[in-house]
Amino acid sequence: MTHLHIFALNEPVAVSHTNLTRQQGLTPDLPPLAAWLGVDSLDTDEIELFPIKDLSDMALSDYINLAFAPEDPIPSAIVTRLDALDGAVLLVPEDGLATPPNPGPQATLIASLPLARADNTASLPKASTTPMPNPAAPRHEVGPPIALYALIGMAILAAIIVFVGWR
């Protein structure tokens, strides 16, 4: 099981580094986050860093529920702590860390939430390799096209005109 580590940053941070900013191709200069977390390396493609005011009227706990899908509902005591934060927040999935975090004074661990993961351990039956029969397409009897009827009608009309004209 993997976890989402939520840190309140104790340093002024005005940059945003989120999935949205990465999709937009924005690459802000990031503070030394690995040093702040006490880790040797940090995969910045996995993290989200932003001032909480960027959420506007959305509560941080709601954002985390929508963006990260925790395995269980966030406990109410943690919801209260999350929603009371101001300043900047750093959200770090465990996949973004090579070692467990040991934050310094620049970051305060608020919570570590278990994240839902796909369960790919099921035993599935083998698929049949026999090709499925392909029934023949039903045949539709097609009559002569309407243009043929029009051509026959014009020929008959022409014959009548010629016959009447010779008389």
Side-chain angles (χ1 to χ4, degrees):
M1 178 179 310
T2 188
H3 287 78
L4 173 67
H5 303 292
I6 304 162
F7 297 93
L9 297 180
N10 303 321
E11 297 287 330
V13 174
V15 298
S16 290
H17 185 66
T18 63
N19 287 329
L20 178 60
T21 61
R22 284 189 287 276
Q23 287 176 356
Q24 294 171 338
L26 303 176
T27 54
D29 289 329
L30 298 176
L33 298 172
W36 291 4
L37 297 180
V39 294
D40 291 333
S41 65
L42 178 66
D43 185 352
T44 57
D45 288 340
E46 295 288 327
I47 67 162
E48 294 220 0
L49 166 69
F50 55 89
I52 292 177
K53 68 179 180 179
D54 286 1
L55 294 177
S56 188
D57 293 334
M58 180 183 275
L60 179 59
S61 60
D62 291 339
Y63 177 79
I64 291 169
N65 276 320
L66 291 171
F68 290 94
E71 186 170 70
D72 299 315
I74 302 173
S76 61
I78 295 175
V79 167
T80 302
R81 288 185 72 195
L82 291 172
D83 294 345
L85 293 175
D86 61 2
V89 67
L90 175 62
L91 308 175
V92 184
E94 203 166 41
D95 295 344
L97 297 167
T99 58
N102 184 21
Q106 300 87 354
T108 302
L109 180 64
I110 302 299
S112 289
L113 304 174
L115 296 178
R117 286 288 189 190
D119 180 4
N120 298 321
T121 60
S123 232
L124 299 176
K126 294 287 182 191
S128 173
T129 57
T130 306
M132 296 291 289
N134 189 5
R139 292 186 53 112
H140 294 95
E141 293 297 322
V142 179
I146 195 161
L148 180 61
Y149 291 123
L151 185 62
I152 291 172
M154 286 189 298
I156 292 173
L157 183 61
I160 292 173
I161 292 173
V162 168
F163 179 71
V164 171
W166 277 6
R167 280 187 147 208

